[in-house]
Every structure is written in structure tokens, then in C-alpha cells.
Amino acid sequence: MAIQKKVGILGATGTVGQRFILLLANHPTFVIHALGASSRSAGKAYKDAVRWKQSQPIPAAVATKVVKSCVAEEFKDCDVVFSGLDADVAGDIEMEFLNADLVVFSNAKNYRREPTVPLIVPTVNTSHFDLIPYQRELHKLSKGFLVTNANCSTTGLVVPLKALQDAFGPLSHIMVHTQQAISGAGYPGVPSLDILDNVVPYIGGEEEKMEWEVGKILGNIAEDGKKFAPLTNTIVSATCTRVPVLDGHLESVSIKFANAAPTVEQVYEVLEKYTCEAQTLGCHLAPEKAIVVTKDADRPQPRLDRDVQKGQAVTVGRVRTCPVLDIKFTLLVHNTVLGAAGSSVLNAEVAVAKGLL
Amino acid sequence: MAIQKKVGILGATGTVGQRFILLLANHPTFVIHALGASSRSAGKAYKDAVRWKQSQPIPAAVATKVVKSCVAEEFKDCDVVFSGLDADVAGDIEMEFLNADLVVFSNAKNYRREPTVPLIVPTVNTSHFDLIPYQRELHKLSKGFLVTNANCSTTGLVVPLKALQDAFGPLSHIMVHTQQAISGAGYPGVPSLDILDNVVPYIGGEEEKMEWEVGKILGNIAEDGKKFAPLTNTIVSATCTRVPVLDGHLESVSIKFANAAPTVEQVYEVLEKYTCEAQTLGCHLAPEKAIVVTKDADRPQPRLDRDVQKGQAVTVGRVRTCPVLDIKFTLLVHNTVLGAAGSSVLNAEVAVAKGLL
Amino acid sequence: MAIQKKVGILGATGTVGQRFILLLANHPTFVIHALGASSRSAGKAYKDAVRWKQSQPIPAAVATKVVKSCVAEEFKDCDVVFSGLDADVAGDIEMEFLNADLVVFSNAKNYRREPTVPLIVPTVNTSHFDLIPYQRELHKLSKGFLVTNANCSTTGLVVPLKALQDAFGPLSHIMVHTQQAISGAGYPGVPSLDILDNVVPYIGGEEEKMEWEVGKILGNIAEDGKKFAPLTNTIVSATCTRVPVLDGHLESVSIKFANAAPTVEQVYEVLEKYTCEAQTLGCHLAPEKAIVVTKDADRPQPRLDRDVQKGQAVTVGRVRTCPVLDIKFTLLVHNTVLGAAGSSVLNAEVAVAKGLL
Amino acid sequence: MAIQKKVGILGATGTVGQRFILLLANHPTFVIHALGASSRSAGKAYKDAVRWKQSQPIPAAVATKVVKSCVAEEFKDCDVVFSGLDADVAGDIEMEFLNADLVVFSNAKNYRREPTVPLIVPTVNTSHFDLIPYQRELHKLSKGFLVTNANCSTTGLVVPLKALQDAFGPLSHIMVHTQQAISGAGYPGVPSLDILDNVVPYIGGEEEKMEWEVGKILGNIAEDGKKFAPLTNTIVSATCTRVPVLDGHLESVSIKFANAAPTVEQVYEVLEKYTCEAQTLGCHLAPEKAIVVTKDADRPQPRLDRDVQKGQAVTVGRVRTCPVLDIKFTLLVHNTVLGAAGSSVLNAEVAVAKGLL
């Protein structure tokens, strides 16, 4: 019989929380056990507390569940807690949960830069789970730990970069331009008057996140085994824009290798062959291919490619020589699946497979 | 009394042709005299031949004008001919008109790379008109000549680049990422199924045009005075995408200077002070400011900024340091005004002011 | 020399307030004198208090004006006050202004159903100004009075209905289906996640407003001259939806006449000939034609027709026989011009022409 | 072991054809056997002939199949042929196929009004299959026959009307206003310049189809059993518009009953209880509920409700009293599933269950 793990969801009424619910309904390992939201929602049935904005209906078992406050005491019998909390409250709540010896997978940005907290993209750097024993020791925990996943745009970017770095050595320079979907801003999020017949060339804090997170994810654990050591010789320049697309972030990337540059054909070959640990471990949500390569001249496109591999793959196309750096290409990531809740859940599956929970 | 010049418009029923008509109705110098279109339209009243897609009505004087075939004989009494022809027919027709000693301002791409044909953005390189006497000599013309304007995306890009090159010396590297409006593809152009809730990361031939045209526009006339000498030490890498925006191309630009890089403040100052010959000559369509600088964090935006200065200016914002190259910024150009018909008409105004027609 | 009237604008930072500012900048009669907004904005320069969302820049004379609180004392030297206040605050504030003997033209819904307050669409029922003397008497005012304009969708509907009622007698049944632009909901208004690739078939309170307001506007002053007498034998059924359009409400209308129905040709003729008092009085913002008739099969369309006559006309097309009622047709009204601020300003111009202020 | 039927698809490269392929891949009864398209495509592998515009990839078994010409000889071993042909060619080709004794389910409009051809919406009037024996006799066929499905907008409309007619007797008047998705126009279909930030209030021929088809579908077979007898006392008035929505037609409906009108509660109850023969027969694509009722004030919405019941149900909401007729409500139908290919396939499933093929 399959292992069953009890799951709690923090921020369950938000857009990320709704995605957690859809991903976890009918999950072979995880069973939704507790839902947490703001005090305004606590005590209500989920269906009355939420403004459900998904095209699939609320799973029946979740609809009538009573929403709890986000306090650790209410979630103490959960084997794992997923956090879709907003950054303004995630810091305190997640730390309280960690201190209560709970396992927390967070989508919030608050602890991503913490030297002892893994920042894991599940198809890229699950080796970073190796720091968990030290994190537990540091916080004097027996079973709890905290893992974060990356910003949605960073997540899409690092998947092909990891494949290329593994094959051709370090990248010295990365330029990335994003065209991000409105769902990335939550609900109500982007006012329609701002985005219909328009593009907004700015997303607060996003460029800084991308420029920093890449280095930690593609980097290693320090030699002393007690902290992460982000890359120091890889420079990232990001420009982030918002476009009138519902789901799916498109990114135009140009890179320079520290060593000799590969050819376009070599890049395609490496991308096509890429596999990751989540696949090897046979995780439920692991995509069959972590990178889907397209050679159609006008692909990937958000509407046509975002649901490939149930949103857990990154689609890469338009690989070509860059006259300024070495190689340029276009990628697409489903921002609310692999780019958010899908990363957290797949990370947790990997943790189960590794015996961490 | 003002000079009056008789004007012909080729491709008058197309989207660029419609823009020519709106720009030339009520023009102080140019009077619409003849309209040319395909044989399917020739012989019909303009209002019956056109699928008018502008939010302003067809000017009354134009509506009932009978459309002619695009043969030079029909346009021989025009002082100037504007061509909004498609590339597949523009080559032969424009050459026939030139050989008939007519003055042609073309929006088509066919002769842009011709060593003796000026490729002029009216707020950038009107000095290139200096080659006209030699072009006439070469083609044995007494009054005719041919001038092209640039690709819409190139046009937006070169305006701030010219200002920066003048102030800080040559640029060694330019990376540009465009988000282009659907009107750039004409009518019927982009199918709605391709662009609603979507971005298309490819526009056929566009990247090559941008990467080549910048060098000719920002370059000089060769020493022998008999051809243009494009820049050889400026490398351009372009990525072009189509977004669900009606009008206005947004471009994210990153540049490296051959010499020491200026500060962000110096860049802002130079952009704000930039003036061009079309302004000095007092041309009717010359914008009050060729570059409009915005310091709002989330501007320029297509819907809010495309009509600034009646679409003849380029709006620049988000100037900041680029971790990979030197400086990055965002610009917006109205693709069917300065990026197309507006360039041709302003170029012609400059030619009148310079006594060339 | 022209008369100059000092103007105050309440709710000046909102979307309707911004439209008031654009309509009143450079107005031949009205001069913007005072701007009122919430206490959060009061004391700030207008440009710092507003989130300006118009494609034209803030008029220079307005940008630096200091915003006041919406209290009558601050506006006592205004000859006329335009209110773009939200309904939740408009009731108390507008009544305070009226009691202070000020002239108020309100876009809010609060007093539309008041039996002694005119509900005026400026191209329809300016005869309703006749009740002002009695309103002043009732409220013991020497110069102040209160006039409201109608809901944006009602406004578009009553213009052709008035023409038809005048020509063919009372309408017994009216069915109307609206497709309303997002700007009608203000800013931030409609979340983009709700309207991109979508239609929302419900707008709170809108159907009730349309079904009620038509009767008052197309009705008369009661025989005693002391109140309005809405029509009692005209039944309206409204269905209101929100569509992803920036500006311009499209309405599909079907009507039945109490008497014999006219032919389609007779309807077209009457619509084309319609004129109104605002035109006769020579008001500045009065459209040249209050109804613009189109016979193109696929018109009117929001994007192509909303700016006709500077947004002060209603465009009507697709007149045809209705198999269920008598006649059906399609109309378009610019919801933030004639449908909101443009009605208020034109109403005020009529009031000036009639000597009421 | 399950019955296996060999299937041919005409117009296989078009948008309806693509939907047929997705619905028939992995179907328990139908196996895709032959693909037909224009002579331009014939002889090519399907993946090279099609411009695939679906978010799911081309099924592998179909991708490499060679496309045939649409001649009966090429399809003679097919048990059933689905036609997604355009109306301009469907007439001749479908008749040739019928005369070759083939079974044809057509999505084209050409034979919908034919007195001996059933016009079947699979969740409404599968009793109309009863005329097939007579149709075969008339055309001297042993196994072939021709069945059409309805226009996409008609299809959505008749489902709730059937439920209400069954429960409360004939409808005397029906007014319907549609807001139709762009996918209804095929590919390239609606130019993006026509529909972005816009609504088009006209779809050629659509209103006439709706006004006529309802009567045949909700009517009976004539007493002599040799033709269909459309309703004569039900009057329909339709207004059809195009909106910037990808999939899903929204319809606002108002109806009058010949007899006493039911209450809103009675209408809801009847809609909720409605079942149809396709369900009773246990057909694979039959929705669990043919009508999904929503009581949320702002539903149904295209983006949120179109995929309910895999696109084979009609969602109905906003049932309320109509001041002019009796009852009004809003419905949503997925135009390319139940409104097109989904009807044809479910119709064929019913025919299999009834032993007709």
C-alpha cells in the first residue's frame, strides 16, 4: 500500500493556494488534511472563504473543509506543510512552523537567501537537500525543516542553464528578458486597465530576484557543508515585463560560456538529453522530460506550450548564435505550476523519496 | 503663401497607405493628388476599394478619389510619391518610378541596403540626404531620387543610440529585445487565434533587419562621397516578439560603449537634451522633442505613451546599469507613425526644407 | 469677451475625475479652479496625488494645483462643481454642497431617482432643467442647484429612443443587452484575471439602473410642475455584461412601439435627422450630430467608433426588423465621455446658455 | 471485447478537423483510419500538412498518417466519416460520400435544412435518428446515411430550451444575444486588428441560422414519417456578436411560454433534473449532466466554465424574471466541442448504440 502523508496548506485561498489544492487532490502520497488562511477566512468552509478562479471546480473533499488560522498548533499533525503565503506574513508564520518542528515547503521569497535554507528547483538542484541534516541540527529539530522554491521566472531560466552548465562548464554572462503572465501577480493582481492593449515594462523586485537566485541554485554547498555557496563568477542581467497572457512566462535568454562556446547543435543535443534526479526517483509529478525542445521557428508560445508535461517541463526553442554573447534561445515555463506550487509539491515528493519525511 | 507639393501614395489601400492619408490630409505643404493600388482596386473610388481600419474617418477629399494603377505614367505630375507597397511588388514599381525621374520616399525594405540609397530616420540621420546629388548622377536623373525609411523597430532603436553615440562615442555592443504591436503586420496580418492570451517569439526577417540597419543609419557616407559606409565595429543582437498590443513597439535595450561608460545620470541628461536637424529646419511633423524621457518606474507603456508628440517621438525610460554590458533602458516607438508613414513624410519635409524637391 | 466660469472637480483623482480634467482643460467657458479628493490626497500637488491613466499627459496648469478636501467651504468661490465621486461618499458631500448654495453636476447615482432632481442626458432631455426654479425654492437656494447625469449604458440607450419616441410615439417594450468596457468600473476596477479571454455576464446594480432610468429621462415633468413623472407604460428589460474592451459600451436593442411600427427605412431617416437643444444653443461640446448612423453591416464597433464626434455622439447601426418585437438595432456610446464626464460638462454648458448659472 | 469502428475525417487539417482528431484519439469505439483534406494537403504526412493550433500535441498515430483527397473511393472501408469541411465544398463531397453508401456525420451547414436529413444535437433530439430508415430508402442505400449537427450557437441554445419545453410546454418567443468566441471562425479567421480591444456586432449568416435551426431541432418528425416538421409557432430573434474570447460562446436568452410561465425556482429545478438519451445509452462522450446549473451571480463565464464536463455540457445561470417576456437566463457552450466536433462524435456514438452503424 502506498505511503500516505498528511498535508497542510497555508495561504490556501490565494492563487498559489488554489494551485496547491488542484495538484494535491487525488495525489497518490499526499492527502489534504488542513487548510490555513487569514483570520478573515478562518472558521469558514473553504468554498465560502475562497474566490475560486480555476477552470476546474473545487475538489469536493476540500470544498467543505473548515479553514484554520495559520498557527503551528493547528497543523501539528501534518507531515508536511505547503506555504503559499504572501511575503508580508510568510516570514513570521513559516519560522513559527519550523520552530514547531514541522516540515515546510514555501513558495514565498522570505527565506530564499538564507544561507542554510535550500532554494530548490525540483528538476535542477535536489542535491541541495543534503544540507537538511545540518539545518535541523542548527535549529535543534528532530523532523522539521524548511525548503523554499524559486521565483517563477528564475525557475524557468535555471532548468536549461543547469543542463548547459553541466555539459559545457560555467556560464560567465547571462542576459534574460521576461514576458510574464498576469497570474504571476495573484488576484486581484494586475488591473485590466493596465494590461489590455498594453505591456508593462516593470515588475517590482523581480529583476533583483532573478539576478540573485540563479547563483544560489546553480551553485554548491560550501566545503564546510554548513551553508550554500552561490556562484561568484556568473553575472546575470534581467529585464522583466508583464504581458496580457493568463499563464506562462516567456523568456529570451542570451548566454556566454566561461570556456569555448558549444555549437547550436550541441546545445540542442544537451537540452534534449537532460534528465534530473526527480525523474530517476520516479516522483509522481516529475515530468517525463524536464526540458521539451521545439524546433518550430515560432515556438515556444505561452498558450500552446504552457501545459506541456502538465506544466512541469520547461520548453526551449529558437536556439541560435548570439552576435554579442555566445548562444541565445527562448524558453517557456508555466508560472503557477513548475514556477510555483508545482515546484513545492515535486520538491516534497523528492524529499519523501530521499527519506527526509 | 505656402509652397504646395502634389503627392502620390502607392499602396494607398494598405495599413501604411491609410496612415499616409491621415498624415497628409490637411498637411500645410503636401496635397494628396494621386492614389495607387493593385489592379483589383484601380478604377474604383477610394472608399470602395479600401477596408478602412482607422478610428478617424476617411478624409472627405480622399474618399471619392479614383484609385490608379501603380505605373509611373499615372503619377508623372506628382512632386513626391510615398510608397507603402508590400515588399513583393515594391522593388519593380519603385525602380520604374525612379527611372521616370520621380521622387520616391519608400517604406518598403527592398532598397534599404542599396549602397547609394539613403536609409533615413528623420530624427537621426538627415545628413544622409547629402548623397542624393550623386544618386541622381548615377541614375541620370534631373529631379527624381529614392529615399527609404527604416524598419519600425530599427527606427525606435536608433534615436536614443544616435544621441548616446554623439555624446559618448561609438557603441561596441547592442542587445535589443522587442515586443511588437500587431499593426506592424498589416491587415489581415496576425490571426487573433495566434495572439490572444499569447506572445509569438518570432517575426520572420525582423531580427536580421534590425541587426543590419542600425549600422547604416548610425554610419557615415564613405570618403569618396559615392556610397554609404555602415559602422563595422558595432555588433547588434536582436530578438523580436509579437505581443497583443494594437500600436507601439516596446524595446528593451542594453549597450556597451567602446570607450568608458557614462553614468545613468549622464545618459538621462544626453537623452533629454537631444535635438535633430528636422527640428532646426522647423518641419511641420518634427516632434517638439525627438526623445521624451520618463522617470516613472513602470514607463514607457504602449497604450499610455505611443501618442506622445503625435507619435513622432521615441519615449525612453528605465535607464539603469547593466551588469553584463554597460547601460540598459526601455524605449517605445509608435510603429505606424514614426516607425513607418511618419518617417517618410517627415523625411520629405526635410527634403523640401533642404531644397531637394 | 467670453464668459469665464470657475469650476471645481470632486473626485478629481478618480477615472471620471481625470476625464473631467481633460474635457475642461482649454475649455472656452470653464476654468479649472479647485480640485477635491479624499483626505489621503488633500494637500498634495495633483500630479503626486493621482495615478494618471490617460494617454494624454496631465495639463500643466492642473499638475501642480494642490488638492483640497471635498468640503463646501473650500469650493465656495466656484461657479459650478462637477462631481465624479464614488456613490459611497457622493450622497453626503453633494448634499452639503447643495445646501451651501453651490451648483453641482453629478455623475454619481445617489440622487438620480430623487423626484425633484433632474436626470439629464444632454442630447435628450435638457427640457428637464425647467424644474430647477422649483428645486431652488424647495431647498431655499438663491443660485445653487443639483443636476445628475445618467448611468453610462442608459445614456447611450436613450438617445436613439428619444428620437424614435418623438417620431413614432411611445415605446411599449425595450429589451437591451450591453457589452460594457472595463473603464466603466474605474481603477483598479476589473482584475485582468477576470476579463482576459473572458466575458463577465453580470455587473452589480447595472440592470436595475437601466430599467429604471429610461422612464425618468424619456418622461415629463408632472402637471403640478413640482416633480418628475417617469413613463409608466414603457417596460425595459436589461442584461448587462462586461467585455475586454477599454472604452465604449456596445448595446443591442430591440423595441416595440405602442402604435404601429415604422419601417427600417423610416427609423434610419428619423435617426439621421435627429437634433437636440444642446446643438441649437451652440454649446461647445455639443456634437455636430447627436446620432451618427452607420449602414456598414459590421458597425458600430467600440474601437473604431467610440471617438466619433469626440465621444459625444451615439453611433447607431444594424437597424432591422425584430421577429419578436418590432425593430432591433446596435448602438455604441463612449462610456467615459458622453456616458459620464462629457454629459456633466455639456449639461453645464446648456445651463449656462439657459442663464441658470 | 469492445466494438471497433473505422473512422474517416474530412477537412482534417482545419480547426474542426483538429478537434475531431483530439476527440477520437484514444476513443474506445472509434479508430482514426483515414484523413481527408484539400488536394494541396493530399499525399503529405498529416503533421506536415496541418498548421496545428491545439495546446495538446498531435497524437503520434495521426502525425505520420498520409492525408488523402476527399473522394469516397479513398474512404470506402470507413464505418463512419466525420466531416469538418467548409461549406463551400461540403455540399458536393458529402453527397458523393452518401451516394457511395457511406455514413456521414457533418458539421457543415449545407444539408441542415434538408427535410429528410436529421439535424441533431446529441443531448436534445436523438429521437430524430428515427428518420434514417426512410432516408436510406429514399436514397436507395443499404448502410449509409447523413446526419448533420447544428450551428455552434444554436447547439448551446436548444439544450435548456428542450428541457423547458418538455416541462412547461411550447415556447412562443425566444430572444437570444450571443457573444461568440474567435475559434468559431476557424483559422486564420478573425484578424487580431479586428478584435483586440473590440467587439464586432455582426457574424455573417449566423442570426439566420439560429432563427431557423431551433424550430427543426425542437420540432418533430411529420405524421407521415417521411420528413421533419419544424415548429411553426415559436418565433426566434437572434443577435450575434464576436468577442475577444478564445473558446466558449456566451448567450443571453429571454423566452416567453405559450402557456403560463413557470417561476424561476421551477426553471432551475427542471434544468437541474434534465437528462437525455445519450446519457441513458451510456455513450462515452455523454456528459454526466447535459445542463450544469450555476447560481453564482456572475457565472457562467467562458474561461471558467467552458471545459466543464469536458465541453459536452451547457452551463446555465442567472435565471430571472424578464420584464418583457417571461424568463431570462445566461448560458455557455463550448463552441468547438459540443458546438461542433463533440456533437458529431456523440451523435455517432448514439447511432452505434441504436444499431444504426
Side-chain angles (χ1 to χ4, degrees), chain C residues 16-60:
Chain C
V16 176
Q18 293 178 30
R19 276 285 177 181
F20 272 124
I21 285 170
L22 289 180
L23 286 168
L24 293 166
N26 308 314
H27 192 281
T29 310
F30 300 129
V31 181
I32 297 175
H33 182 72
L35 303 172
S38 69
S39 54
R40 203 178 46 245
S41 298
K44 293 183 188 167
Y46 182 73
K47 70 180 166 54
D48 299 325
V50 73
R51 294 201 58 173
W52 188 257
K53 291 287 167 183
Q54 312 298 318
S55 57
Q56 299 159 262
I58 305 178

Side-chain angles (χ1 to χ4, degrees), chain B residues 207-274:
Chain B
E207 296 173 355
E208 292 77 6
K209 284 183 212 164
M210 291 193 79
E211 292 179 358
W212 192 89
E213 293 179 8
V214 167
K216 180 167 180 181
I217 297 166
L218 296 184
N220 296 307
I221 295 175
E223 288 194 6
D224 65 2
K226 298 188 172 176
K227 60 177 177 295
F228 290 101
L231 298 177
T232 49
N233 293 314
T234 300
I235 300 171
V236 183
S237 175
T239 297
C240 297
T241 74
R242 185 78 70 194
V243 291
V245 164
L246 285 158
D247 288 310
H249 290 356
L250 194 73
E251 308 184 21
S252 301
V253 185
S254 189
I255 53 178
K256 190 168 178 60
F257 294 86
N259 308 322
T263 64
V264 168
E265 291 66 33
Q266 287 171 322
V267 168
Y268 270 128
E269 192 183 358
V270 161
L271 296 175
E272 272 168 346
K273 286 190 177 162
Y274 180 69

Side-chain angles (χ1 to χ4, degrees), chain B residues 94-351:
Chain B
E94 293 177 2
M95 192 46 65
E96 190 218 338
F97 274 61
L98 180 64
N99 287 334
D101 208 14
L102 286 165
V103 173
V104 180
F105 285 87
S106 172
N107 190 60
K109 70 177 181 190
N110 306 59
Y111 295 107
R112 287 183 192 156
R113 299 195 185 199
E114 203 60 30
T116 60
V117 174
L119 172 59
I120 299 183
V121 173
T123 55
V124 172
N125 62 325
T126 47
S127 64
H128 287 198
F129 274 112
D130 291 353
L131 206 82
I132 293 300
Y134 178 72
Q135 191 199 80
R136 280 179 175 155
E137 184 188 327
L138 189 70
H139 289 267
K140 303 184 182 12
L141 305 172
S142 63
K143 62 181 185 60
F145 62 83
L146 170 63
V147 166
T148 62
N149 49 279
N151 169 273
C152 44
S153 291
T154 307
T155 301
L157 178 61
V158 293
V159 180
L161 294 190
K162 170 68 171 171
L164 296 173
Q165 179 183 270
D166 285 357
F168 307 114
L171 302 163
S172 61
H173 297 85
I174 300 164
M175 294 204 62
V176 57
H177 180 285
T178 71
Q179 298 175 270
Q180 300 187 211
I182 55 175
S183 60
Y187 185 86
V190 183
S192 54
L193 280 171
D194 281 343
I195 203 68
L196 195 61
D197 182 22
N198 209 16
V199 170
V200 179
Y202 175 72
I203 303 173
E206 198 80 357
E207 296 173 355
E208 292 77 6
K209 284 183 212 164
M210 291 193 79
E211 292 179 358
W212 192 89
E213 293 179 8
V214 167
K216 180 167 180 181
I217 297 166
L218 296 184
N220 296 307
I221 295 175
E223 288 194 6
D224 65 2
K226 298 188 172 176
K227 60 177 177 295
F228 290 101
L231 298 177
T232 49
N233 293 314
T234 300
I235 300 171
V236 183
S237 175
T239 297
C240 297
T241 74
R242 185 78 70 194
V243 291
V245 164
L246 285 158
D247 288 310
H249 290 356
L250 194 73
E251 308 184 21
S252 301
V253 185
S254 189
I255 53 178
K256 190 168 178 60
F257 294 86
N259 308 322
T263 64
V264 168
E265 291 66 33
Q266 287 171 322
V267 168
Y268 270 128
E269 192 183 358
V270 161
L271 296 175
E272 272 168 346
K273 286 190 177 162
Y274 180 69
T275 58
C276 64
E277 193 181 24
Q279 296 169 297
T280 320
L281 294 169
C283 294
H284 174 63
L285 281 184
E288 198 186 328
K289 294 182 80 69
I291 299 172
V292 172
V293 169
T294 172
K295 292 193 174 169
D296 288 349
D298 61 354
R299 302 286 278 266
Q301 294 178 18
R303 192 169 75 77
L304 297 180
D305 295 301
R306 63 194 169 204
D307 290 326
V308 161
Q309 305 273 340
K310 296 186 181 164
Q312 296 280 17
V314 171
T315 302
V316 180
R318 299 209 73 213
V319 179
R320 56 210 198 284
T321 300
C322 176
V324 170
L325 303 183
D326 288 334
I327 288 284
K328 52 185 177 177
F329 57 85
T330 301
L331 70 86
L332 183 83
V333 60
H334 195 306
N335 58 300
T336 69
V337 185
L338 184 65
S343 262
S344 281
V345 177
L346 184 49
N347 278 343
E349 291 176 9
V350 171

Side-chain angles (χ1 to χ4, degrees), chain A residues 181-322:
Chain A
I182 54 174
S183 60
Y187 185 87
V190 183
S192 54
L193 279 171
D194 281 342
I195 203 68
L196 195 61
D197 181 22
N198 208 17
V199 170
V200 179
Y202 176 71
I203 303 174
E206 198 79 357
E207 297 173 355
E208 292 77 6
K209 286 183 211 164
M210 291 193 79
E211 294 179 357
W212 192 88
E213 294 180 7
V214 166
K216 180 168 180 180
I217 297 166
L218 295 184
N220 296 308
I221 295 176
E223 289 193 6
D224 64 3
K226 299 187 171 175
K227 60 176 177 295
F228 289 101
L231 299 176
T232 50
N233 294 314
T234 299
I235 299 171
V236 184
S237 174
T239 297
C240 297
T241 73
R242 185 79 68 193
V243 292
V245 165
L246 285 159
D247 288 310
H249 290 356
L250 195 73
E251 307 185 20
S252 302
V253 185
S254 189
I255 54 178
K256 189 169 178 59
F257 294 85
N259 307 323
T263 65
V264 167
E265 290 66 33
Q266 288 170 321
V267 168
Y268 269 128
E269 192 183 357
V270 160
L271 295 175
E272 274 169 344
K273 287 191 177 164
Y274 180 69
T275 57
C276 64
E277 194 181 21
Q279 296 169 298
T280 320
L281 293 170
C283 294
H284 175 63
L285 281 183
E288 199 185 327
K289 294 182 81 67
I291 298 173
V292 173
V293 168
T294 173
K295 292 193 175 171
D296 287 351
D298 61 355
R299 301 285 278 268
Q301 294 177 17
R303 193 168 75 75
L304 297 180
D305 296 301
R306 63 192 168 204
D307 291 326
V308 162
Q309 306 272 340
K310 296 187 181 162
Q312 295 281 16
V314 170
T315 303
V316 180
R318 300 208 73 213
V319 179
R320 56 210 198 284
T321 300
C322 176

Side-chain angles (χ1 to χ4, degrees), chain C residues 184-234:
Chain C
Y187 185 86
V190 183
S192 55
L193 279 171
D194 281 342
I195 203 68
L196 195 62
D197 181 22
N198 207 17
V199 171
V200 179
Y202 175 72
I203 303 174
E206 198 80 357
E207 297 174 356
E208 293 76 5
K209 284 183 211 163
M210 291 194 78
E211 293 180 357
W212 192 89
E213 293 179 8
V214 166
K216 181 169 180 179
I217 297 165
L218 296 183
N220 296 307
I221 295 175
E223 288 193 6
D224 65 2
K226 298 186 172 176
K227 60 177 177 296
F228 290 101
L231 298 176
T232 51
N233 293 314
T234 299

